[in-house]
Amino acid sequence: MATVELRFSALPEHVRTARLVAAAVARRAGVDEAVLDEVRLAVGEACSRAVGLHRSGGITAPVKVALIEEEKQFSIEVGDEAPHAVPAERVAGGPSADADVEAEEDEMGLAVISGLVDDVEVTTGENGGLIRMRWPTAPPATALV
């Protein structure tokens, strides 16, 4: 199992680099060429979401991306350190209009990711969140002699 880890400052200009690295590692891991655009878009959306959460929360910690090559699958994990309120907490706290807009943008980003990736898992909590996306890989091609 090979893993590539990226950590970058929560700046929008770093999202493009994360997308490019993710696509390159996915290609090397054996993800189907037809799916690489989806990988790029999903990683871009997940990283943009994490950057937005860090910036709106004033969090200076880096956004974390792990690219994990396993035997029959390729996984990407995008982690943030922004505290996530569960829906009941949003209601109890009397959300502001800004909080409503941020929650809608967050839900829209997650919907886009879910539309692009068949196997996606989102976990959130008061210490941050993690989006785990998985794609199948093809077995390595054997050379004919």
Side-chain angles (χ1 to χ4, degrees), residues 16-42:
R16 180 175 187 268
T17 303
R19 282 191 350 234
L20 293 171
V21 171
V25 175
R27 178 179 284 119
R28 196 201 72 188
V31 173
D32 191 313
E33 285 288 325
V35 181
L36 289 178
D37 281 340
E38 294 171 8
V39 171
R40 265 190 290 276
L41 290 169

PDB file of all heavy atoms in Angstrom, residues 16-42:
ATOM      1  N   ARG A  16      -5.734  23.731  -7.211  1.00  0.00           N
ATOM      2  CA  ARG A  16      -5.355  23.249  -8.546  1.00  0.00           C
ATOM      3  C   ARG A  16      -4.188  22.261  -8.450  1.00  0.00           C
ATOM      4  O   ARG A  16      -4.191  21.220  -9.115  1.00  0.00           O
ATOM      5  CB  ARG A  16      -4.978  24.426  -9.452  1.00  0.00           C
ATOM      6  CG  ARG A  16      -4.581  23.997 -10.844  1.00  0.00           C
ATOM      7  CD  ARG A  16      -4.336  25.225 -11.742  1.00  0.00           C
ATOM      8  NE  ARG A  16      -4.118  24.814 -13.101  1.00  0.00           N
ATOM      9  CZ  ARG A  16      -2.927  24.558 -13.628  1.00  0.00           C
ATOM     10  NH1 ARG A  16      -1.841  24.673 -12.898  1.00  0.00           N
ATOM     11  NH2 ARG A  16      -2.816  24.195 -14.888  1.00  0.00           N
ATOM     12  N   THR A  17      -3.210  22.573  -7.635  1.00  0.00           N
ATOM     13  CA  THR A  17      -2.069  21.678  -7.471  1.00  0.00           C
ATOM     14  C   THR A  17      -2.514  20.339  -6.902  1.00  0.00           C
ATOM     15  O   THR A  17      -2.075  19.277  -7.363  1.00  0.00           O
ATOM     16  CB  THR A  17      -1.007  22.326  -6.553  1.00  0.00           C
ATOM     17  OG1 THR A  17      -0.622  23.575  -7.123  1.00  0.00           O
ATOM     18  CG2 THR A  17       0.197  21.432  -6.374  1.00  0.00           C
ATOM     19  N   ALA A  18      -3.393  20.372  -5.917  1.00  0.00           N
ATOM     20  CA  ALA A  18      -3.901  19.127  -5.325  1.00  0.00           C
ATOM     21  C   ALA A  18      -4.630  18.289  -6.373  1.00  0.00           C
ATOM     22  O   ALA A  18      -4.475  17.063  -6.417  1.00  0.00           O
ATOM     23  CB  ALA A  18      -4.825  19.442  -4.146  1.00  0.00           C
ATOM     24  N   ARG A  19      -5.424  18.939  -7.229  1.00  0.00           N
ATOM     25  CA  ARG A  19      -6.136  18.225  -8.295  1.00  0.00           C
ATOM     26  C   ARG A  19      -5.157  17.550  -9.257  1.00  0.00           C
ATOM     27  O   ARG A  19      -5.348  16.394  -9.640  1.00  0.00           O
ATOM     28  CB  ARG A  19      -7.016  19.198  -9.099  1.00  0.00           C
ATOM     29  CG  ARG A  19      -8.286  19.556  -8.427  1.00  0.00           C
ATOM     30  CD  ARG A  19      -9.255  20.298  -9.337  1.00  0.00           C
ATOM     31  NE  ARG A  19      -8.716  20.723 -10.605  1.00  0.00           N
ATOM     32  CZ  ARG A  19      -8.750  21.970 -11.065  1.00  0.00           C
ATOM     33  NH1 ARG A  19      -9.264  22.933 -10.347  1.00  0.00           N
ATOM     34  NH2 ARG A  19      -8.274  22.256 -12.256  1.00  0.00           N
ATOM     35  N   LEU A  20      -4.122  18.283  -9.655  1.00  0.00           N
ATOM     36  CA  LEU A  20      -3.151  17.739 -10.604  1.00  0.00           C
ATOM     37  C   LEU A  20      -2.384  16.555 -10.013  1.00  0.00           C
ATOM     38  O   LEU A  20      -2.172  15.541 -10.677  1.00  0.00           O
ATOM     39  CB  LEU A  20      -2.190  18.829 -11.053  1.00  0.00           C
ATOM     40  CG  LEU A  20      -2.800  19.946 -11.902  1.00  0.00           C
ATOM     41  CD1 LEU A  20      -1.794  21.071 -12.101  1.00  0.00           C
ATOM     42  CD2 LEU A  20      -3.292  19.412 -13.224  1.00  0.00           C
ATOM     43  N   VAL A  21      -1.968  16.686  -8.762  1.00  0.00           N
ATOM     44  CA  VAL A  21      -1.242  15.601  -8.100  1.00  0.00           C
ATOM     45  C   VAL A  21      -2.149  14.380  -7.953  1.00  0.00           C
ATOM     46  O   VAL A  21      -1.743  13.245  -8.224  1.00  0.00           O
ATOM     47  CB  VAL A  21      -0.685  16.051  -6.729  1.00  0.00           C
ATOM     48  CG1 VAL A  21      -0.133  14.877  -5.941  1.00  0.00           C
ATOM     49  CG2 VAL A  21       0.383  17.120  -6.915  1.00  0.00           C
ATOM     50  N   ALA A  22      -3.404  14.600  -7.553  1.00  0.00           N
ATOM     51  CA  ALA A  22      -4.341  13.492  -7.376  1.00  0.00           C
ATOM     52  C   ALA A  22      -4.559  12.741  -8.693  1.00  0.00           C
ATOM     53  O   ALA A  22      -4.564  11.508  -8.718  1.00  0.00           O
ATOM     54  CB  ALA A  22      -5.677  14.010  -6.838  1.00  0.00           C
ATOM     55  N   ALA A  23      -4.717  13.461  -9.783  1.00  0.00           N
ATOM     56  CA  ALA A  23      -4.921  12.812 -11.078  1.00  0.00           C
ATOM     57  C   ALA A  23      -3.689  12.020 -11.500  1.00  0.00           C
ATOM     58  O   ALA A  23      -3.811  10.897 -12.018  1.00  0.00           O
ATOM     59  CB  ALA A  23      -5.276  13.854 -12.132  1.00  0.00           C
ATOM     60  N   ALA A  24      -2.516  12.571 -11.273  1.00  0.00           N
ATOM     61  CA  ALA A  24      -1.280  11.877 -11.645  1.00  0.00           C
ATOM     62  C   ALA A  24      -1.107  10.592 -10.832  1.00  0.00           C
ATOM     63  O   ALA A  24      -0.761   9.534 -11.391  1.00  0.00           O
ATOM     64  CB  ALA A  24      -0.076  12.796 -11.448  1.00  0.00           C
ATOM     65  N   VAL A  25      -1.364  10.662  -9.542  1.00  0.00           N
ATOM     66  CA  VAL A  25      -1.211   9.476  -8.690  1.00  0.00           C
ATOM     67  C   VAL A  25      -2.301   8.448  -9.019  1.00  0.00           C
ATOM     68  O   VAL A  25      -2.038   7.241  -9.056  1.00  0.00           O
ATOM     69  CB  VAL A  25      -1.220   9.868  -7.193  1.00  0.00           C
ATOM     70  CG1 VAL A  25      -1.183   8.636  -6.302  1.00  0.00           C
ATOM     71  CG2 VAL A  25      -0.033  10.775  -6.877  1.00  0.00           C
ATOM     72  N   ALA A  26      -3.515   8.913  -9.297  1.00  0.00           N
ATOM     73  CA  ALA A  26      -4.609   8.011  -9.667  1.00  0.00           C
ATOM     74  C   ALA A  26      -4.276   7.261 -10.959  1.00  0.00           C
ATOM     75  O   ALA A  26      -4.508   6.052 -11.070  1.00  0.00           O
ATOM     76  CB  ALA A  26      -5.908   8.787  -9.824  1.00  0.00           C
ATOM     77  N   ARG A  27      -3.735   7.965 -11.926  1.00  0.00           N
ATOM     78  CA  ARG A  27      -3.350   7.345 -13.203  1.00  0.00           C
ATOM     79  C   ARG A  27      -2.298   6.263 -12.948  1.00  0.00           C
ATOM     80  O   ARG A  27      -2.411   5.145 -13.439  1.00  0.00           O
ATOM     81  CB  ARG A  27      -2.798   8.397 -14.160  1.00  0.00           C
ATOM     82  CG  ARG A  27      -2.324   7.809 -15.492  1.00  0.00           C
ATOM     83  CD  ARG A  27      -1.794   8.865 -16.439  1.00  0.00           C
ATOM     84  NE  ARG A  27      -2.919   9.585 -17.018  1.00  0.00           N
ATOM     85  CZ  ARG A  27      -3.135  10.892 -16.873  1.00  0.00           C
ATOM     86  NH1 ARG A  27      -2.293  11.623 -16.159  1.00  0.00           N
ATOM     87  NH2 ARG A  27      -4.173  11.474 -17.430  1.00  0.00           N
ATOM     88  N   ARG A  28      -1.295   6.581 -12.149  1.00  0.00           N
ATOM     89  CA  ARG A  28      -0.232   5.618 -11.848  1.00  0.00           C
ATOM     90  C   ARG A  28      -0.768   4.418 -11.069  1.00  0.00           C
ATOM     91  O   ARG A  28      -0.287   3.295 -11.219  1.00  0.00           O
ATOM     92  CB  ARG A  28       0.878   6.292 -11.050  1.00  0.00           C
ATOM     93  CG  ARG A  28       2.163   5.468 -11.033  1.00  0.00           C
ATOM     94  CD  ARG A  28       3.046   5.829  -9.915  1.00  0.00           C
ATOM     95  NE  ARG A  28       2.367   5.303  -8.725  1.00  0.00           N
ATOM     96  CZ  ARG A  28       2.736   5.527  -7.496  1.00  0.00           C
ATOM     97  NH1 ARG A  28       3.745   6.274  -7.240  1.00  0.00           N
ATOM     98  NH2 ARG A  28       2.083   5.026  -6.477  1.00  0.00           N
ATOM     99  N   ALA A  29      -1.796   4.652 -10.245  1.00  0.00           N
ATOM    100  CA  ALA A  29      -2.374   3.576  -9.438  1.00  0.00           C
ATOM    101  C   ALA A  29      -3.246   2.625 -10.253  1.00  0.00           C
ATOM    102  O   ALA A  29      -3.586   1.543  -9.788  1.00  0.00           O
ATOM    103  CB  ALA A  29      -3.198   4.167  -8.297  1.00  0.00           C
ATOM    104  N   GLY A  30      -3.620   3.050 -11.472  1.00  0.00           N
ATOM    105  CA  GLY A  30      -4.421   2.167 -12.323  1.00  0.00           C
ATOM    106  C   GLY A  30      -5.881   2.543 -12.427  1.00  0.00           C
ATOM    107  O   GLY A  30      -6.694   1.748 -12.901  1.00  0.00           O
ATOM    108  N   VAL A  31      -6.248   3.758 -12.012  1.00  0.00           N
ATOM    109  CA  VAL A  31      -7.627   4.210 -12.179  1.00  0.00           C
ATOM    110  C   VAL A  31      -7.874   4.394 -13.671  1.00  0.00           C
ATOM    111  O   VAL A  31      -7.029   4.917 -14.400  1.00  0.00           O
ATOM    112  CB  VAL A  31      -7.870   5.534 -11.407  1.00  0.00           C
ATOM    113  CG1 VAL A  31      -9.235   6.114 -11.714  1.00  0.00           C
ATOM    114  CG2 VAL A  31      -7.721   5.293  -9.905  1.00  0.00           C
ATOM    115  N   ASP A  32      -9.026   3.959 -14.136  1.00  0.00           N
ATOM    116  CA  ASP A  32      -9.384   4.032 -15.545  1.00  0.00           C
ATOM    117  C   ASP A  32      -9.275   5.465 -16.064  1.00  0.00           C
ATOM    118  O   ASP A  32      -9.720   6.407 -15.414  1.00  0.00           O
ATOM    119  CB  ASP A  32     -10.821   3.520 -15.722  1.00  0.00           C
ATOM    120  CG  ASP A  32     -11.193   3.315 -17.171  1.00  0.00           C
ATOM    121  OD1 ASP A  32     -10.930   4.214 -18.002  1.00  0.00           O
ATOM    122  OD2 ASP A  32     -11.764   2.253 -17.478  1.00  0.00           O
ATOM    123  N   GLU A  33      -8.685   5.623 -17.254  1.00  0.00           N
ATOM    124  CA  GLU A  33      -8.504   6.950 -17.859  1.00  0.00           C
ATOM    125  C   GLU A  33      -9.829   7.704 -17.980  1.00  0.00           C
ATOM    126  O   GLU A  33      -9.869   8.919 -17.836  1.00  0.00           O
ATOM    127  CB  GLU A  33      -7.868   6.823 -19.252  1.00  0.00           C
ATOM    128  CG  GLU A  33      -6.398   6.495 -19.235  1.00  0.00           C
ATOM    129  CD  GLU A  33      -5.522   7.652 -18.788  1.00  0.00           C
ATOM    130  OE1 GLU A  33      -5.831   8.815 -19.085  1.00  0.00           O
ATOM    131  OE2 GLU A  33      -4.504   7.371 -18.135  1.00  0.00           O
ATOM    132  N   ALA A  34     -10.914   6.989 -18.242  1.00  0.00           N
ATOM    133  CA  ALA A  34     -12.221   7.626 -18.420  1.00  0.00           C
ATOM    134  C   ALA A  34     -12.739   8.256 -17.129  1.00  0.00           C
ATOM    135  O   ALA A  34     -13.623   9.104 -17.165  1.00  0.00           O
ATOM    136  CB  ALA A  34     -13.236   6.601 -18.939  1.00  0.00           C
ATOM    137  N   VAL A  35     -12.177   7.861 -16.006  1.00  0.00           N
ATOM    138  CA  VAL A  35     -12.642   8.339 -14.698  1.00  0.00           C
ATOM    139  C   VAL A  35     -11.763   9.466 -14.150  1.00  0.00           C
ATOM    140  O   VAL A  35     -12.127  10.139 -13.195  1.00  0.00           O
ATOM    141  CB  VAL A  35     -12.678   7.154 -13.700  1.00  0.00           C
ATOM    142  CG1 VAL A  35     -13.168   7.565 -12.333  1.00  0.00           C
ATOM    143  CG2 VAL A  35     -13.560   6.036 -14.237  1.00  0.00           C
ATOM    144  N   LEU A  36     -10.619   9.716 -14.777  1.00  0.00           N
ATOM    145  CA  LEU A  36      -9.675  10.691 -14.225  1.00  0.00           C
ATOM    146  C   LEU A  36     -10.253  12.102 -14.119  1.00  0.00           C
ATOM    147  O   LEU A  36      -9.938  12.823 -13.174  1.00  0.00           O
ATOM    148  CB  LEU A  36      -8.374  10.703 -15.028  1.00  0.00           C
ATOM    149  CG  LEU A  36      -7.507   9.457 -14.857  1.00  0.00           C
ATOM    150  CD1 LEU A  36      -6.266   9.569 -15.733  1.00  0.00           C
ATOM    151  CD2 LEU A  36      -7.126   9.241 -13.406  1.00  0.00           C
ATOM    152  N   ASP A  37     -11.113  12.493 -15.053  1.00  0.00           N
ATOM    153  CA  ASP A  37     -11.754  13.814 -14.942  1.00  0.00           C
ATOM    154  C   ASP A  37     -12.630  13.888 -13.699  1.00  0.00           C
ATOM    155  O   ASP A  37     -12.675  14.904 -13.018  1.00  0.00           O
ATOM    156  CB  ASP A  37     -12.572  14.146 -16.187  1.00  0.00           C
ATOM    157  CG  ASP A  37     -11.714  14.625 -17.345  1.00  0.00           C
ATOM    158  OD1 ASP A  37     -10.563  15.053 -17.086  1.00  0.00           O
ATOM    159  OD2 ASP A  37     -12.187  14.570 -18.494  1.00  0.00           O
ATOM    160  N   GLU A  38     -13.327  12.801 -13.397  1.00  0.00           N
ATOM    161  CA  GLU A  38     -14.150  12.757 -12.190  1.00  0.00           C
ATOM    162  C   GLU A  38     -13.288  12.844 -10.935  1.00  0.00           C
ATOM    163  O   GLU A  38     -13.661  13.498  -9.961  1.00  0.00           O
ATOM    164  CB  GLU A  38     -15.011  11.496 -12.177  1.00  0.00           C
ATOM    165  CG  GLU A  38     -16.045  11.482 -13.282  1.00  0.00           C
ATOM    166  CD  GLU A  38     -16.758  10.154 -13.414  1.00  0.00           C
ATOM    167  OE1 GLU A  38     -16.573   9.265 -12.556  1.00  0.00           O
ATOM    168  OE2 GLU A  38     -17.508  10.006 -14.394  1.00  0.00           O
ATOM    169  N   VAL A  39     -12.146  12.185 -10.960  1.00  0.00           N
ATOM    170  CA  VAL A  39     -11.211  12.252  -9.831  1.00  0.00           C
ATOM    171  C   VAL A  39     -10.774  13.699  -9.623  1.00  0.00           C
ATOM    172  O   VAL A  39     -10.840  14.232  -8.512  1.00  0.00           O
ATOM    173  CB  VAL A  39      -9.977  11.340 -10.061  1.00  0.00           C
ATOM    174  CG1 VAL A  39      -8.913  11.583  -8.997  1.00  0.00           C
ATOM    175  CG2 VAL A  39     -10.395   9.876 -10.082  1.00  0.00           C
ATOM    176  N   ARG A  40     -10.358  14.350 -10.710  1.00  0.00           N
ATOM    177  CA  ARG A  40      -9.919  15.752 -10.627  1.00  0.00           C
ATOM    178  C   ARG A  40     -11.020  16.651 -10.072  1.00  0.00           C
ATOM    179  O   ARG A  40     -10.780  17.471  -9.181  1.00  0.00           O
ATOM    180  CB  ARG A  40      -9.519  16.258 -12.017  1.00  0.00           C
ATOM    181  CG  ARG A  40      -8.059  16.161 -12.326  1.00  0.00           C
ATOM    182  CD  ARG A  40      -7.711  16.910 -13.605  1.00  0.00           C
ATOM    183  NE  ARG A  40      -8.230  16.258 -14.802  1.00  0.00           N
ATOM    184  CZ  ARG A  40      -7.631  15.268 -15.437  1.00  0.00           C
ATOM    185  NH1 ARG A  40      -6.487  14.810 -15.007  1.00  0.00           N
ATOM    186  NH2 ARG A  40      -8.161  14.738 -16.512  1.00  0.00           N
ATOM    187  N   LEU A  41     -12.225  16.509 -10.621  1.00  0.00           N
ATOM    188  CA  LEU A  41     -13.332  17.365 -10.181  1.00  0.00           C
ATOM    189  C   LEU A  41     -13.708  17.110  -8.718  1.00  0.00           C
ATOM    190  O   LEU A  41     -13.938  18.047  -7.948  1.00  0.00           O
ATOM    191  CB  LEU A  41     -14.549  17.154 -11.076  1.00  0.00           C
ATOM    192  CG  LEU A  41     -14.417  17.676 -12.501  1.00  0.00           C
ATOM    193  CD1 LEU A  41     -15.573  17.178 -13.365  1.00  0.00           C
ATOM    194  CD2 LEU A  41     -14.356  19.190 -12.505  1.00  0.00           C
ATOM    195  N   ALA A  42     -13.754  15.841  -8.328  1.00  0.00           N
ATOM    196  CA  ALA A  42     -14.129  15.506  -6.946  1.00  0.00           C
ATOM    197  C   ALA A  42     -13.087  16.014  -5.954  1.00  0.00           C
ATOM    198  O   ALA A  42     -13.435  16.582  -4.909  1.00  0.00           O
ATOM    199  CB  ALA A  42     -14.310  13.996  -6.805  1.00  0.00           C
TER     200      ALA A  42
END
